Amino acid sequence: GAGVSQSPRYKVAKRGQDVALRCDPISGHVSLFWYQQALGQGPEFLTYFQNEAQLDKSGLPSDRFFAERPEGSVSTLKIQRTQQEDSAVYLCASSRGEDGSYEQYFGPGTRLTVT
Amino acid sequence: AQRVTQPEKLLSVFKGAPVELKCNYSYSGSPELFWYVQYSRQRLQLLLRHISRESIKGFTADLNKGETSFHLKKPFAQEEDSAMYYCALRRGYNKLIFGAGTRLAVHP
């Protein structure tokens, strides 16, 4: 079956522009995660959804970052007034269950470059 | 604070040589640890988790709570093992804390 998909795969934004990154999780997966991966670093947690509820947004770096999953399926990560330090790969992951016993499946990522 | 440390950015070995990718963690509770792998032009995927205590693609990892380590080992490296390897710790529901990663290069 289809895995986690993300779009766009690449995004170039001028500083100050708003961007929206989309994640389509595996069908039926309850949990959805966003991670940010800067160059040369491991992924860093941004936020977590269980169905449509955003249960943890402790990793969002500023109030310019906003995520939603209104129907408990597709999720969008929005970054307002992009800055150069926002340049990174944004990874989405989904898992079947609500607890940590289920594997997280990662998407291919969206590479955001802010110029 | 919870943290995962992978001290080597690059590990370069010849085919058939043993491999050990180091991972150390700091965590106040009972940790659950994972190794993820990313092959060239592929997405991040789970390699193994400590609670499974299984060998995947010839790799094993043992959790050593005394040394707070979870090193990944393989007795005989293959060229197809060349990839980025990330050690990760689960905190809370499902939140993963990753190390910076180690690039394994296996030369013929």
Side-chain angles (χ1 to χ4, degrees):
Chain A
V4 177
S5 61
Q6 293 185 244
S7 62
R9 291 293 313 278
Y10 303 90
K11 176 70 178 176
V12 179
K14 290 187 177 174
R15 191 173 58 181
Q17 283 184 332
D18 298 348
V19 299
L21 313 180
R22 177 187 169 108
C23 172
D24 284 80
I26 294 172
S27 178
H29 275 198
V30 169
S31 297
L32 186 145
F33 307 83
W34 285 97
Y35 293 87
Q36 179 190 58
Q37 186 172 20
L39 189 63
Q41 300 298 317
E44 288 195 10
F45 170 82
L46 293 177
T47 187
Y48 162 61
F49 289 87
Q50 191 177 105
N51 296 304
E52 68 278 4
Q54 189 175 18
L55 298 186
D56 188 342
K57 52 183 181 179
S58 62
L60 296 177
S62 77
D63 58 7
R64 296 186 296 105
F65 286 71
F66 171 76
E68 60 183 3
R69 194 187 184 197
E71 297 178 358
S73 178
V74 171
S75 178
T76 304
L77 176 67
K78 298 178 180 178
I79 309 173
Q80 297 178 321
R81 305 180 304 280
T82 52
Q83 303 294 314
Q84 283 195 313
E85 61 263 28
D86 300 336
S87 295
V89 175
Y90 290 85
L91 297 171
C92 176
S94 70
S95 69
R96 185 156 54 99
E98 299 171 354
D99 64 39
S101 63
Y102 294 96
E103 179 179 346
Q104 290 188 33
Y105 294 88
F106 282 81
T110 295
R111 181 177 296 278
L112 173 65
T113 302
V114 181
T115 61
Chain B
Q2 292 83 4
R3 187 168 59 244
V4 175
T5 303
Q6 294 180 251
E8 303 143 326
K9 281 210 168 293
L10 171 66
L11 184 62
S12 189
V13 302
F14 286 103
K15 176 181 171 182
V19 168
E20 183 179 52
L21 291 93
K22 291 183 167 49
C23 172
N24 289 88
Y25 67 90
S26 62
Y27 187 66
S28 55
S30 292
E32 186 174 357
L33 287 139
F34 306 81
W35 277 98
Y36 278 79
V37 61
Q38 187 166 25
Y39 301 102
S40 179
R41 289 185 291 279
Q42 293 188 27
R43 60 190 66 192
L44 197 60
Q45 60 186 280
L46 179 66
L47 180 62
L48 55 80
R49 56 200 306 176
H50 90 270
I51 60 172
S52 301
R53 303 186 65 81
E54 57 189 345
S55 173
I56 304 292
K57 299 185 178 183
F59 285 97
T60 59
D62 290 319
L63 178 61
N64 185 322
K65 291 186 179 180
E67 296 182 358
T68 60
S69 69
F70 187 56
H71 303 328
L72 183 68
K73 300 177 184 179
K74 185 170 182 176
F76 307 103
Q78 303 299 314
E79 288 180 68
E80 55 266 30
D81 296 329
S82 295
M84 279 295 296
Y85 290 81
Y86 295 94
C87 183
L89 179 155
R90 182 172 73 85
R91 176 190 171 193
Y93 292 99
N94 245 330
K95 180 190 302 187
L96 293 173
I97 299 170
F98 287 88
T102 297
R103 178 170 298 282
L104 175 64
V106 182
H107 304 285

